[in-house]
């Protein structure tokens, strides 16, 4: 076979195997190999490394799209000095993701604006970066999705969907009271993940008030039981971060006004 037809054959093999990054890089890699006098082993290694890195990049992009994080926050962005009730070393420990290994849950409890969503998303981001399948949903979206699934006869599929991710974030539990069907959906999601994979849950309601979210206090108790069995709980009782910066601004403004009148 002539060199030209061997080359065509090689391109066609790469296309058949769908190694498109390698196919695209082939002429350059061959040229480099000639210039640098690379042997066949080094040449093949270079070519396949290009394909491997393209595959890795596609996988990352798909994990990222799937996770549907609503904000780009990272744990490093969290200002611990503004929220002394959050244990920084505990957050950093969670950031290593060893909690995923034994399916530990994370509960973030506190009033609006204290950074619960930010911490939950920061953990989700770390999990995506480590290559784990991660998914973010609000409790309201989860419940609405399960409701549609029930109507359309896709309940089992939807439950499997929520069982799948290595880390599931359920944000804003407790903002809306959950009727029995909604409570059942959340309960089943928590139950099927119990001891298998971690869930990060944020809520504005202290554990003692969980009965209020659900029609049925037994469901609330059973759910809490599973969530707390192996868990890290943050009770964040500081003031809202946004209010804090508002206050700082208005204080600065007031000082400015006072200084202004003194002059
Ligand atoms: P929550 O979910 O508790 O209502 P969020 O996480 O949505 O609060 O935070 C509200 C806003 O304040 C967001 O813009 C968030 O980035 C910011 N924020 C809250 N706490 C902190 C913090 N400790 N450091 C930096 N930004 C914060
Ligand atoms: Mg929030």
């Amino acid at each position: 076979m002539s060199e030209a037809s061997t080359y065509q054959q090689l391109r066609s093999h790469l296309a058949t195997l769908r190694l498109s990054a390698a196919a695209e890089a082939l002429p350059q890699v061959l040229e480099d190999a000639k210039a640098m006098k690379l042997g066949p082993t080094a040449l093949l290694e270079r070519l396949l490394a290009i394909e491997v890195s393209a595959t890795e990049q596609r996988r990352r992009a798909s994990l990222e799209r799937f996770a549907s994080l609503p904000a780009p926050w990272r744990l490093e962005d969290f200002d611990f000095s503004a929220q002394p009730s959050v244990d920084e070393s505990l957050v950093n420990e969670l950031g290593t993701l060893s909690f995923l290994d034994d399916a530990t849950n994370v509960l973030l409890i506190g009033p609006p604006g204290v950074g619960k969503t930010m911490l939950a998303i920061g953990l989700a981001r770390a999990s995506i970066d480590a290559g784990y399948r991660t998914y973010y949903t609000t409790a309201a979206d989860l419940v609405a999705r399960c409701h549609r699934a029930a109507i359309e006869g896709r309940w089992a599929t939807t439950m499997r969907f929520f069982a799948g991710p290595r880390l599931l974030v359920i944000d804003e539990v407790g903002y809306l009271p959950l009727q029995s069907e909604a409570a059942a959906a959340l309960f089943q999601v928590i139950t099927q993940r119990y001891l298998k994979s971690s869930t990060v849950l944020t809520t504005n309601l202290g554990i003692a008030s969980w009965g209020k979210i659900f029609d049925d206090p037994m469901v609330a108790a059973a759910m809490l039981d599973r969530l707390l069995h192996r868990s890290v709980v943050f009770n964040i009782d500081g003031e809202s971060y946004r209010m804090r910066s508002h206050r700082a601004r208005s204080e600065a403004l007031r000082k400015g006004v006072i200084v202004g009148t003194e002059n």
Side-chain angles (χ1 to χ4, degrees), residues 31 53 71 177 196:
E31 205 172 293
S53 113
K196 294 201 188 82

Side-chain angles (χ1 to χ4, degrees), residues 136-172:
Y136 169 97
T137 180
T138 61
D141 283 349
L142 181 146
V143 159
R145 189 167 175 163
C146 292
H147 179 64
R148 273 199 309 278
I151 291 172
E152 295 166 7
R154 291 182 293 101
W155 180 268
T157 318
T158 304
M159 283 302 134
R160 268 201 304 281
F161 174 84
F162 284 114
R166 181 75 184 268
L167 179 65
L168 176 68
V169 175
I170 308 177
D171 202 5
E172 301 182 351

Side-chain angles (χ1 to χ4, degrees), residues 73 77-79 111-118 241-242:
W73 294 326
D77 300 332
F78 195 80
D79 175 1
V114 294
K116 301 183 299 297
T117 299
M118 189 174 187
Y241 193 79
R242 280 204 204 95

Side-chain angles (χ1 to χ4, degrees), residues 77-188:
D77 300 332
F78 195 80
D79 175 1
F80 288 93
S81 64
Q83 210 58 265
S85 64
V86 174
D87 182 343
E88 180 171 2
S89 60
L90 188 51
V91 171
N92 288 336
E93 164 64 29
L94 290 173
T96 68
L97 300 176
S98 56
F99 75 100
L100 298 180
D101 295 338
D102 60 356
T104 294
N105 297 317
V106 178
L107 253 74
L108 296 154
I109 304 172
V114 294
K116 301 183 299 297
T117 299
M118 189 174 187
L119 287 170
I121 289 177
L123 290 173
R125 159 67 44 205
S127 161
I128 296 169
D129 287 350
Y132 295 124
R133 209 163 170 73
T134 306
Y135 191 73
Y136 169 97
T137 180
T138 61
D141 283 349
L142 181 146
V143 159
R145 189 167 175 163
C146 292
H147 179 64
R148 273 199 309 278
I151 291 172
E152 295 166 7
R154 291 182 293 101
W155 180 268
T157 318
T158 304
M159 283 302 134
R160 268 201 304 281
F161 174 84
F162 284 114
R166 181 75 184 268
L167 179 65
L168 176 68
V169 175
I170 308 177
D171 202 5
E172 301 182 351
V173 174
Y175 283 85
L176 299 169
L178 299 176
Q179 309 302 315
S180 56
E181 187 206 82
L186 187 59
F187 180 68
Q188 192 171 334

